[in-house]
Amino acid sequence: MHQLRCLPNQIAYLAPLGLEDLFAERLAGKPHLRQERLFWGAIEDSLLNRFASNIWRELYEIEFDSISDCAKALTSLQRSWWAYMPAGSSRASYIQKALPHVGAKPVVFTGKPMVYPPLGSWRLLDDHRVLASPSCSSPRPNGEWIFAEDRAGPPNRAYLKLWEAFTRIGVAPQKGEICLDLGASPGGWTWVLHQMGAHVKAFDRSPLRADLMQAAGVEFIEADAFRVDLSAYPEASWLFCDVICYPEKLYEWVSTCMVPSSIQYAVCTLKFQGREHYGVIDSFAQIPNGWLGHLSQNKHELTWVWSRLPQGGSPTAEAAWG
Ligand SMILES: C[S@@+](CC[C@H](N)C(=O)[O-])C[C@H]1O[C@@H](n2cnc3c(N)ncnc32)[C@H](O)[C@@H]1O
């Protein structure tokens, strides 16, 4: 017979692949437990909240007798579960198979917001104990947004960032809308926007891939992104910025040039080198109506999404928005 033990005030962070060291450094000196990319304890941390792939917000430790007993304990908390399990753990696989089936096929990008049911996460600690959370920040298995990829069309894999951002934030450019794409070359983001029927003005010092340079509805403008005069584009509703620059420079430009302009929505990548630029994260977070988080496609980056309307004007937007 299983026993459920609630772990009050404790949470677990699942670090993105490649950012485990950031979590370990940040939590050094704070009592916590760790298994591979999973860190847990009384460790709530505003920076890690931004970078985590998944946050397990309501922790339980469950002691159980058998595989079916474990499945029973988990489903007493909620219906759907996904294991964060080490490769080759057959006991964890058997427990997952004893739980209700969860569809985990790659997401097919439609450009429309998707609503997913809640998904709990669990981890086998030893043969008779699991760590589990029925409430997690992400509705996707281990917080990973995996898409059915287009391997022929886009010039690089950067397009996946926009697919993920639009799917998660619940808003996306509509056909005919005008989008400014700063730091656009070779054109992954421009390709997405063009495919969605938007008109794209793409700014960079380097050209786009040849076919995008010729595409109807795409205009390439050779320019320094931070010298673009937004008042010259009053009809533009979306702004995208994937320029490689210090995040402080991006913040300065966003707060002084973009927010006062007539742009309605923005998607910008904050690119970090080392740990010394994290201070600016709070500045971005304080701009009203923003969403700031780590996309599965982000490396040592965060993505900031902003809307002039609260929550992007979308009732289906991700809860973290705003
Ligand atoms: C990460 S790449 C952008 C990738 C692009 N979003 C895509 O989907 O293909 C960064 C781009 O920023 C451009 N860049 C860097 N500094 C710039 C500046 N001050 N003005 C314009 N473009 C700049 C680089 O030339 C480079 O093409």
Side-chain angles (χ1 to χ4, degrees):
M1 183 63 190
H2 59 258
Q3 286 192 343
L4 288 171
R5 191 162 66 90
C6 179
L7 304 179
N9 304 320
Q10 294 202 27
I11 60 168
Y13 290 115
L14 186 64
L17 203 62
L19 290 184
E20 302 88 335
D21 287 355
L22 161 63
F23 283 67
E25 285 165 28
R26 189 81 181 173
L27 295 175
K30 282 190 188 173
H32 67 280
L33 294 164
R34 173 182 179 179
Q35 285 194 0
E36 298 161 15
R37 289 192 289 129
L38 190 68
F39 299 77
W40 70 98
I43 53 171
E44 175 104 46
D45 179 283
S46 61
L47 183 80
L48 301 186
N49 285 343
R50 302 287 176 196
F51 275 103
S53 289
N54 204 5
I55 307 173
W56 301 16
R57 295 198 178 281
E58 194 189 332
L59 286 192
Y60 289 86
E61 201 179 289
I62 303 172
E63 274 191 48
F64 59 93
D65 296 332
S66 62
I67 285 169
S68 60
D69 188 32
C70 181
K72 205 167 155 189
L74 289 168
T75 48
S76 74
L77 292 170
Q78 76 149 26
R79 178 192 180 278
S80 299
W81 290 90
W82 195 263
Y84 171 61
M85 59 181 155
S89 167
S90 53
R91 190 164 174 81
S93 310
Y94 287 130
I95 294 169
Q96 186 65 48
K97 282 185 191 135
L99 289 163
H101 175 74
V102 173
K105 284 192 187 147
V107 178
V108 174
F109 178 68
T110 61
K112 298 193 175 69
M114 314 268 272
V115 179
Y116 292 92
L119 184 61
S121 295
W122 65 275
R123 164 83 182 196
L124 196 59
L125 298 176
D126 60 38
D127 278 356
H128 292 282
R129 279 185 317 137
V130 298
L131 183 72
S133 172
S135 166
C136 292
S137 63
S138 175
R140 298 299 298 166
N142 293 325
E144 279 160 16
W145 289 83
I146 297 170
F147 285 85
E149 294 197 30
D150 183 331
R151 297 188 191 277
N156 57 13
R157 299 190 80 237
Y159 75 100
L160 290 166
K161 292 183 191 173
L162 278 198
W163 277 10
E164 183 180 340
F166 294 148
T167 305
R168 289 176 61 177
I169 65 176
V171 282
Q174 302 299 303
K175 204 171 174 188
E177 277 196 291
I178 295 179
C179 301
L180 309 182
D181 186 7
L182 308 187
S185 175
W189 288 19
T190 292
W191 178 85
V192 172
L193 302 169
H194 177 59
Q195 291 278 311
M196 295 175 81
H199 296 299
V200 190
K201 296 189 189 297
F203 300 84
D204 205 300
R205 292 167 175 152
S206 309
L208 306 175
R209 192 177 65 184
D211 59 306
L212 290 167
M213 292 292 277
Q214 307 298 326
V218 175
E219 181 188 358
F220 174 73
I221 300 157
E222 188 177 335
D224 180 338
F226 296 113
R227 291 179 186 270
V228 173
D229 176 8
L230 295 182
S231 68
Y233 303 97
E235 72 287 9
S237 43
W238 284 79
L239 180 132
F240 297 86
C241 181
D242 197 24
V243 169
I244 299 168
C245 66
Y246 289 123
E248 291 84 354
K249 180 170 179 172
L250 180 64
Y251 176 75
E252 169 75 15
W253 183 82
V254 156
S255 51
T256 58
C257 299
M258 196 211 74
V259 173
S261 77
S262 54
I263 292 291
Q264 296 297 308
Y265 296 98
V267 179
C268 301
T269 314
L270 281 61
K271 296 173 188 278
F272 298 98
Q273 295 160 354
R275 311 282 190 242
E276 59 268 27
H277 301 283
Y278 291 154
V280 78
I281 292 173
D282 281 344
S283 307
F284 274 98
Q286 279 163 22
I287 302 176
N289 304 336
W291 178 97
L292 185 60
H294 188 268
L295 304 179
S296 297
Q297 301 301 325
N298 282 143
K299 295 191 173 74
H300 192 193
E301 301 168 332
L302 291 175
T303 296
W304 179 69
V305 184
W306 173 84
S307 160
R308 212 163 273 289
L309 293 173
Q311 211 164 299
S314 163
T316 52
E318 193 170 290
W321 184 291

